[in-house]
Amino acid sequence: ETIPSVDLDFMNQTHFEEIELVIDLGKLILSYQDKDEPTASETQKITDFLDKWLEHTRAHFSRENELMLETSFPMVAVHTGEHGRVLDEMMSMVESWQRDYDIEALANYVFSLWPTWFNNHVDSMDMMTARFAVMSGYDPH
C-alpha cells in the first residue's frame, strides 16, 4: 500500500503480487528466526518460497521488458539492465541461502535491501515506463 501507483493496472497488480510474496516470505523468515533449531522442513519451506519469488520476479521483469520493446521506450537498455542486475542479485541470494542457510543475510535482503530497491525502482523506472506507454497509445487489452 505504500508503493507508488503507476499508469498501467497490470503493472500495479504485478507489484502488489510481488509485495504479497515478500510479506509471506518475511513471515517465514521471522518464524524461522524464532526457532532455536529450525527443522529441515522449515528450511525447505523458505527454499521453495524463494524459488516461487524468483519465478514471479522473472515473469514480472519479462513482461515489463516486453512492454518497453513494444512501445519503443527510449530508456529500455537502462531499465532492462536494472532488471538483469536485480535478477542476478536475487539468484545469488537464493544460491547463498541454499549453500549456507544464513537466515540473517536472507533477512537483511528481504527486509532491507530489496524493499528499498523495489520502492525506488517503481517510483522511478516503472513510473516513467508506464507513463511513456500510456502516452504512446499502448493498450494492454
Side-chain angles (χ1 to χ4, degrees):
E1 59 200 53
T2 62
I3 61 168
S5 181
V6 301
D7 291 346
L8 289 172
D9 289 340
F10 84 86
M11 289 177 72
N12 291 322
Q13 181 59 38
T14 300
H15 294 158
F16 176 76
E17 292 166 0
E18 192 101 4
I19 293 294
E20 288 295 310
L21 283 170
V22 173
I23 289 169
D24 289 346
L25 177 58
K27 290 175 184 174
L28 288 174
I29 291 169
L30 291 173
S31 174
Y32 191 95
Q33 289 175 316
D34 283 345
K35 305 285 193 310
D36 288 334
E37 290 192 36
T39 66
S41 172
E42 290 164 326
T43 301
Q44 189 61 47
K45 279 183 190 176
I46 290 177
T47 301
D48 293 344
F49 210 91
L50 287 170
D51 289 341
K52 180 179 175 180
W53 183 30
L54 190 56
E55 286 308 308
H56 184 276
T57 301
R58 279 189 182 113
H60 166 188
F61 289 173
S62 177
R63 181 63 193 103
E64 286 184 12
N65 292 349
E66 289 171 17
L67 169 69
M68 290 184 277
L69 292 173
E70 288 173 29
T71 60
S72 300
F73 182 59
M75 299 296 290
V76 64
V78 172
H79 195 161
T80 58
E82 181 66 3
H83 286 164
R85 184 192 69 76
V86 169
L87 265 180
D88 287 347
E89 186 177 81
M90 285 182 80
M91 288 186 291
S92 292
M93 184 270 310
V94 169
E95 290 166 4
S96 176
W97 167 256
Q98 293 170 338
R99 184 181 55 251
D100 304 325
Y101 303 111
D102 182 345
I103 196 66
E104 297 311 317
L106 180 60
N108 183 53
Y109 185 80
V110 171
F111 294 129
S112 181
L113 299 175
W114 184 88
T116 299
W117 170 83
F118 188 76
N119 193 60
N120 290 336
H121 182 79
V122 171
D123 199 29
S124 60
M125 292 187 185
D126 285 354
M127 190 76 68
M128 289 186 292
T129 299
R131 183 144 308 142
F132 179 85
V134 169
M135 291 178 70
S136 67
Y138 175 77
D139 182 5
H141 299 93

